[in-house]
Amino acid sequence: MSIEDDPSVTEAVMVTDMNERIIRINPAFSTLTGHSPESITGCHASVLYERSEQLAADNTVKLKSLKSESIWTESVNIKKENGDIIQGRQMTVASNDKDIGATHYIHIFEPLNSERNNGAFDHNTHLPNRNMFKEILAQELENAKRKHFKLGVLFIDIDHFKVVNDSLGYAKGDQLLEQVAQRLKSQLRGNDLIASLSGNQFAILLPDLAHPEDATIVTLKLMSVLENGFKIDDHEIVLTISTGIVIFPGDGDDNETLLQNAERSMYKSKEDGGNNYHFFKASIQSSAINRLSLESELRKAIEREEFVLHYQPQIDIASGHVVGMESLIRWHHPERGMVPPFHFIPVAEQTGMIIPIGDWVMNEACRQNRAWQDSGLGNLKVAVNLSARQFSDRMLISKIESALNRSGLDPTFLEMEITESIIMKDIESTVALLEQMAEMGLALSIDDFGTGYSSLSYLKRFPINKLKIDKSFIDDVISSEDDAKIVEAIIGLSHNLKLNVICEGVEDADQLGWLQQHRCNEIQGYYFSKPLPADEFEAFVKSRNSLF
Ligand code: C2E
Ligand code: MG
Ligand code: MG
């Protein structure tokens, strides 16, 4: 029997089709909201939610991540039949048929302040609780077995949390946990699931892991997001976490075993003194990035001038000319050869090494672009990626100014690429900083657009010039109707807001043709060129723009 038909299920359940039209609701849903099945069946689910204007933007992300049997949880306000509003948490699961893919969505709603203690969510953090996590893990395991996917589970324990409770009291401790939960969650992608296991323990499910090491990257991001500390009353509290990591297949075949093994690995991190992570498998642990040695190597890399910038052309669709380039860092490691940014940027971010590295990138990109302009290559824009830590560096503006002054590059030929998730983190301070940059004459673009949680109303407030649609949407733009619709919507949105729109990760002629037809402005991707060393980039521009 499915969950919505089971009379013993006390959660409010609503089932919708793939277009979010309501197919049915269960008795608990009727009791909670006052809506009868007769009055609500066939309506669009948006009639039930309070903030429907934000829903359109949120839904893009949500439906995208729900494409492959996964879970989405969010805070929602539901309108009762009598007009009252109930605040709560909603979890959406895409129900899949193994042959035809997702067929419908199951939404499970739980009001906040619910008295029941065996519900689906933790009452303090509003995250799914241990039971729910285990249930979802079991489902995802089935899926992973069927489709031969890898998945990862992180078992996280906050170090020395007892001290906080003992000194501040449990009420403040709970407040702090709620903030920790939010911070951790902000680092995850739509498909990942975070749950509260107990007081100071969390679990994270990473479905469809491309590579076990990706779990390291997530863990490092989680460790680094806690470094800023928390303010509770007048106390500044810095927390660290110990994490145990298991990977399926390999570390257990069922949810119980995986969770137990993850917990055991977490205790190994504790034995090391905390603020660390351990894989269950020693072999993965040893091949994983060794944080300490990498940190000291990164320090030396700047002095030894081991970093180089490669440049990936950005092509204007209408003219076919190169109009700009993205600078992408590479590390020429004396033993390991060329190290891609994916392997060291997260560690650099976590250790703070990204600040000197980012300064170097900024100066080098400006210098190179000015040198190209002086040699007659034309007036191209150079884009520089900014990470979260760089973005909150108080010296950022003066560093940009000094790179411009030193190189003599006009600010209109320097573009800052900031990811959607960084921009949406703290709206007020972001707006102020972006306005300062815009006043300087810099170009601003939002990177990886579509993967975060943009709200359309905020987007209008940012003085940005460009949206960069993330590669993940372009990958399936031909094969997936959903992705095609999303890309079409983002292009339309950009035109309406008078923003330039560029697609990254374009790899073949079909994708290019489709994007041309749908009025995308610019293209970046392997179809035209991979990121190139400076001399090769120069040759590429010369041939493409028919210079010399
Ligand atoms: P990003 O800013 O989204 O950069 C785009 C990435 O997609 C680059 O990977 C690029 O090589 C890759 N790419 C472009 N077109 C295609 C394509 O058609 N197919 C495929 N498969 N890939 C394509 P890369 O160079 O490995 O950089 C990865 C990420 O590392 C960047 O993502 C950016 O977040 C970060 N990064 C790179 N350089 C810097 C830097 O100087 N500073 C900072 N803070 N981050 C950087
Ligand atoms: Mg970028
Ligand atoms: Mg990107």
Side-chain angles (χ1 to χ4, degrees):
M1 191 176 332
S2 55
I3 183 166
E4 71 276 11
D5 299 324
D6 185 341
S8 68
V9 168
T10 50
E11 277 92 31
V13 180
M14 167 173 80
V15 181
T16 64
D17 67 15
M18 301 301 291
N19 296 317
E20 297 238 87
R21 259 181 215 289
I22 300 169
I23 301 173
R24 57 183 177 272
I25 57 176
N26 74 343
F29 194 92
S30 283
T31 314
L32 182 73
T33 63
H35 294 289
S36 65
E38 299 76 38
S39 65
I40 203 83
T41 306
C43 294
H44 194 269
S46 61
V47 303
L48 285 171
Y49 300 109
E50 197 186 33
R51 340 155 276 141
S52 35
E53 96 282 3
Q54 213 186 315
L55 217 62
D58 294 350
N59 249 7
T60 313
V61 181
K62 168 173 160 180
L63 296 183
K64 160 99 187 142
S65 57
L66 280 170
K67 253 187 2 179
S68 56
E69 191 169 341
S70 58
I71 311 109
W72 182 267
T73 69
E74 62 196 324
S75 298
V76 288
N77 293 344
I78 289 214
K79 281 189 255 181
K80 286 176 75 163
E81 198 266 338
N82 66 8
D84 288 354
I85 300 293
I86 329 174
Q87 289 189 334
R89 299 281 306 160
Q90 176 175 278
M91 180 161 62
T92 302
V93 183
S95 184
N96 273 22
D97 181 291
K98 80 172 185 305
D99 298 318
I100 51 178
T103 53
H104 56 274
Y105 298 122
I106 302 171
H107 309 265
I108 303 162
F109 179 76
E110 189 179 75
L112 294 188
N113 311 317
S114 153
E115 292 300 313
R116 291 178 305 108
N117 53 14
N118 60 344
F121 298 101
D122 178 88
H123 292 284
N124 182 38
T125 59
H126 312 308
L127 296 174
N129 61 17
R130 180 187 282 263
N131 283 338
M132 205 47 162
F133 183 80
K134 274 165 63 179
E135 198 130 306
I136 295 165
L137 176 56
Q139 280 179 33
E140 288 291 326
L141 274 171
E142 287 308 311
N143 192 37
K145 283 175 192 169
R146 222 168 39 224
K147 298 183 183 148
H148 306 289
F149 282 171
K150 286 191 185 68
L151 61 80
V153 175
L154 314 182
F155 193 111
I156 297 171
D157 185 286
I158 304 175
D159 297 325
H160 314 296
F161 198 72
K162 191 173 172 304
V163 181
V164 176
N165 275 337
D166 288 349
S167 50
L168 297 180
Y170 283 98
K172 297 277 187 253
D174 280 356
Q175 269 179 32
L176 183 57
L177 280 173
E178 213 181 317
Q179 293 184 33
V180 172
Q182 285 311 317
R183 278 243 195 123
L184 295 178
K185 199 172 168 202
S186 72
Q187 298 304 300
L188 301 177
R189 303 165 61 117
N191 271 355
D192 307 337
L193 177 81
I194 176 166
S196 277
L197 292 181
S198 66
N200 64 329
Q201 294 185 329
F202 298 92
I204 290 172
L205 172 62
L206 307 170
D208 191 13
L209 266 190
H211 192 276
E213 266 205 33
D214 294 353
T216 319
I217 308 288
V218 178
T219 309
L220 289 170
K221 276 166 78 181
L222 298 175
M223 291 168 82
S224 104
V225 77
L226 297 181
E227 275 181 359
N228 272 336
F230 295 86
K231 243 197 151 99
I232 293 283
D233 298 338
D234 284 334
H235 304 277
E236 180 81 25
I237 298 167
V238 178
L239 296 174
T240 58
I241 50 176
S242 297
T243 304
I245 308 172
V246 288
I247 305 290
F248 173 87
D251 297 346
D253 277 338
D254 57 77
N255 56 357
E256 289 283 353
T257 315
L258 282 171
L259 212 52
Q260 268 167 21
N261 289 344
E263 186 170 10
R264 282 166 59 187
S265 316
M266 181 277 289
Y267 278 112
K268 281 201 198 138
S269 306
K270 291 271 180 205
E271 283 162 20
D272 289 352
N275 193 18
N276 213 332
Y277 60 90
H278 258 271
F279 279 89
F280 184 67
K281 275 252 165 59
S283 57
I284 303 183
Q285 181 72 19
S286 60
S287 75
I289 303 164
N290 183 334
R291 214 179 105 222
L292 288 179
S293 69
L294 199 63
E295 187 179 343
S296 71
E297 284 181 50
L298 279 172
R299 243 175 252 286
K300 288 184 208 137
I302 298 184
E303 293 158 27
R304 295 181 184 163
E305 301 183 1
E306 288 169 3
F307 291 118
V308 279
L309 286 185
H310 282 188
Y311 299 89
Q312 189 173 30
Q314 299 179 327
I315 313 267
D316 175 66
I317 285 200
S319 68
H321 285 165
V322 180
V323 289
M325 61 247 172
E326 177 173 7
S327 62
L328 292 156
I329 194 167
R330 304 289 181 258
W331 182 8
H332 262 300
H333 192 281
E335 285 112 43
R336 290 193 243 188
M338 193 70 107
V339 185
F342 175 65
H343 281 164
F344 64 91
I345 293 282
V347 178
E349 177 73 9
Q350 204 216 336
T351 54
M353 286 304 293
I354 193 69
I355 298 289
I357 295 173
D359 296 347
W360 177 84
V361 170
M362 187 88 67
N363 278 297
E364 176 58 14
C366 290
R367 184 203 64 75
Q368 178 65 73
N369 198 21
R370 176 63 204 239
W372 274 328
Q373 291 187 345
D374 288 344
S375 76
L377 198 68
N379 290 332
L380 308 178
K381 250 185 208 144
V382 66
V384 169
N385 290 285
L386 284 188
S387 74
R389 228 191 240 245
Q390 288 175 276
F391 197 62
S392 53
D393 177 6
R394 289 207 193 111
M395 302 295 289
L396 179 63
I397 295 287
S398 64
K399 282 172 173 175
I400 299 173
E401 275 167 351
S402 107
L404 289 167
N405 286 337
R406 209 175 294 171
S407 61
L409 183 72
D410 188 283
T412 50
F413 301 116
L414 178 61
E415 181 169 75
M416 296 292 135
E417 273 193 20
I418 309 156
T419 63
E420 187 179 24
S421 44
I422 296 176
I423 259 186
M424 293 293 161
K425 220 179 247 167
D426 176 358
I427 306 289
E428 293 312 318
S429 64
T430 301
V431 170
L433 187 55
L434 293 183
E435 271 168 0
Q436 244 179 313
M437 292 184 181
E439 264 161 36
M440 287 167 67
L442 300 172
L444 301 171
S445 88
I446 303 192
D447 203 358
D448 304 344
F449 192 79
T451 58
Y453 307 82
S454 282
S455 147
L456 300 186
S457 49
Y458 287 136
L459 215 47
K460 253 174 44 187
R461 288 182 54 196
F462 296 135
I464 47 172
N465 311 86
K466 201 184 215 180
L467 295 185
K468 267 191 112 166
I469 305 181
D470 191 62
K471 174 177 183 303
S472 59
F473 296 97
I474 309 304
D475 285 344
D476 296 330
V477 81
I478 302 295
S479 60
S480 150
E481 211 174 299
D482 285 348
D483 281 6
K485 275 190 195 142
I486 291 169
V487 174
E488 214 177 325
I490 301 176
I491 294 176
L493 169 77
S494 310
H495 291 324
N496 284 333
L497 293 176
K498 310 234 167 355
L499 299 174
N500 215 342
V501 57
I502 181 166
C503 289
E504 60 180 338
V506 177
E507 292 185 347
D508 61 45
D510 288 345
Q511 293 167 342
L512 175 66
W514 191 96
L515 292 168
Q516 242 158 353
Q517 207 184 343
H518 288 84
R519 298 174 48 238
C520 177
N521 305 125
E522 291 175 23
I523 299 289
Q524 179 182 340
Y526 292 179
Y527 179 70
F528 286 113
S529 169
K530 291 196 170 183
L532 300 169
D535 54 340
E536 289 176 36
F537 177 83
E538 191 175 326
F540 182 89
V541 176
K542 283 179 181 164
S543 69
R544 185 103 208 159
N545 292 9
S546 332
L547 296 168
F548 311 110

